[in-house]
Amino acid sequence: MTALLLLPLILPFLAPTLARRTLDCLAPATALWVFTASALALAGACVAALGALVLTGLLKLPVLAALGELIHPLRTPSDYLVLPAAMAATGVLTLSSWTLVRSAFRQTRAFRAARTQADRRPAAGDLCVIDSPDPDAYALPGRPHRIVVTTAMLRSLGPAEREALFAHERAHNQAGHHYFLAAAELAAHCHPALRATRDTIRLAAERAADEAAAEVTGDRRLIATAIARAALVGHASPSTRPDFAPAATTGPVPQRVAALLAPSEKRSRTIRRTALLLVACTVLSVAAGTAGVVDFHHEVEVAQGEEGP
């Protein structure tokens, strides 16, 4: 049981490398779905494994075993491995819960502040212009969706580049990319390796918006120029937007520009071996976590006297 529960804690360390290598093999929108689903599955398996390890350690204590209506404390093959693992799992779960709650409060405050600021300004359709010396532009979720842009950003771009930037941010709102970014943020608090995967998910969301904007405008070079200029002027500007509010300046902009200017045949590749490895890693982690939890449940039933050993 313990060995199975350790697999979901180890396999996520492979995900960041596999995701980065897979990004160029898939269409950005497809990659966004694959990476987000994989991150959530890996995070769920990790939390389930940690929870099972914690309960295993607790139910080995006679007092807690009695509270759990066990006839005898939970028996495991090796107490020297299980007890330290249970203590470590308790610490990890506690730390993860604390950082998740703290991040949720911080993001909620940032989102409310951004919505309040946007709602106080007159909007032209879904566009909201904020008077600020800091160049910034982002897609703000909510009802209704808003494209928030500062006056400094507008002054930094030409008319065609502004429309390209608006098309990019509008693509974020139409595709609901804030849901993917929020899911990536959640997964990142469940396992440290998934923080790097979160960055790849953010890049995939930006790439997907780049492609959607290029399709709307019909000019890939214009989109590349607009995001490069927006990133250049807004690089050093502070931003109070929530992390799940996507912006055109997010991620490695040179890589995004190169993808926009690359020949089309380089963007339409089939799924490669790394994509299959990422899926296999996810499936194996979920399967191991599920098997470990089922085995733990069986051991609890044995300790309760419901099944024979």
Side-chain angles (χ1 to χ4, degrees):
M1 175 184 71
T2 305
L4 288 174
L5 293 177
L6 292 179
L7 274 178
L9 309 181
I10 297 173
L11 290 176
F13 286 104
L14 300 176
T17 300
L18 294 176
R20 284 194 301 269
R21 294 181 178 179
T22 303
L23 181 58
D24 293 331
C25 307
L26 299 173
T30 303
L32 183 59
W33 278 98
V34 172
F35 297 162
T36 306
S38 176
L40 286 176
L42 289 171
C46 175
V47 171
L50 289 172
L53 286 172
V54 171
L55 290 177
T56 299
L58 292 177
L59 293 179
K60 291 184 71 64
L61 302 176
V63 174
L64 295 178
L67 291 176
E69 299 181 353
L70 273 63
I71 297 176
H72 55 76
L74 202 63
R75 295 170 181 169
T76 54
S78 175
D79 292 348
Y80 295 104
L81 176 62
V82 171
L83 292 179
M87 294 176 62
T90 302
V92 170
L93 275 180
T94 301
L95 180 61
S96 297
S97 300
W98 166 247
T99 59
L100 177 60
V101 170
R102 186 176 61 179
S103 176
F105 277 111
R106 180 174 60 85
Q107 295 299 322
T108 300
R109 287 196 302 267
F111 173 69
R112 288 179 177 175
R115 283 301 310 187
T116 300
Q117 186 181 44
D119 292 341
R120 288 176 179 174
R121 301 294 193 280
D126 60 351
L127 180 63
C128 176
V129 179
I130 295 177
D131 187 14
S132 173
D134 299 319
D136 197 11
Y138 56 92
L140 183 63
R143 295 186 180 181
H145 292 324
R146 295 292 190 199
I147 298 173
V148 179
V149 60
T150 63
T151 52
M153 179 64 79
L154 291 178
R155 288 193 296 265
S156 302
L157 303 177
E161 293 169 343
R162 294 175 189 171
E163 293 302 322
L165 183 67
F166 298 158
H168 173 95
E169 304 300 352
R170 192 168 286 116
H172 278 309
N173 279 334
Q174 290 174 347
H177 287 166
H178 50 281
Y179 292 116
F180 295 91
L181 299 184
E185 186 69 23
L186 173 63
H189 288 280
C190 297
H191 195 287
L194 296 179
R195 296 173 186 173
T197 305
R198 172 186 58 188
D199 296 336
T200 305
I201 292 173
R202 289 175 176 173
L203 175 57
E206 294 304 324
R207 288 276 303 276
D210 291 341
E211 294 294 330
E215 185 175 350
V216 170
T217 61
D219 191 339
R220 302 180 66 84
R221 185 171 294 276
L222 174 61
I223 299 298
T225 302
I227 64 174
R229 189 180 298 275
L232 183 63
V233 300
H235 176 69
S237 299
S239 177
T240 58
R241 63 175 178 266
D243 292 341
F244 56 83
T249 57
T250 302
V253 173
Q255 182 177 342
R256 293 167 52 197
V257 170
L260 282 166
L261 300 180
S264 58
E265 60 267 17
K266 291 186 179 181
R267 301 191 308 272
S268 57
R269 301 286 182 88
T270 57
I271 299 178
R272 296 179 180 177
R273 188 163 48 191
T274 50
L276 296 178
L277 287 175
L278 177 61
V279 174
C281 174
T282 304
V283 172
L284 179 59
S285 179
V286 172
T290 302
V293 171
V294 169
D295 191 16
F296 163 75
H297 183 263
H298 173 73
E299 293 297 331
V300 171
E301 289 184 333
V302 170
Q304 289 176 331
E306 297 180 9
E307 292 189 13

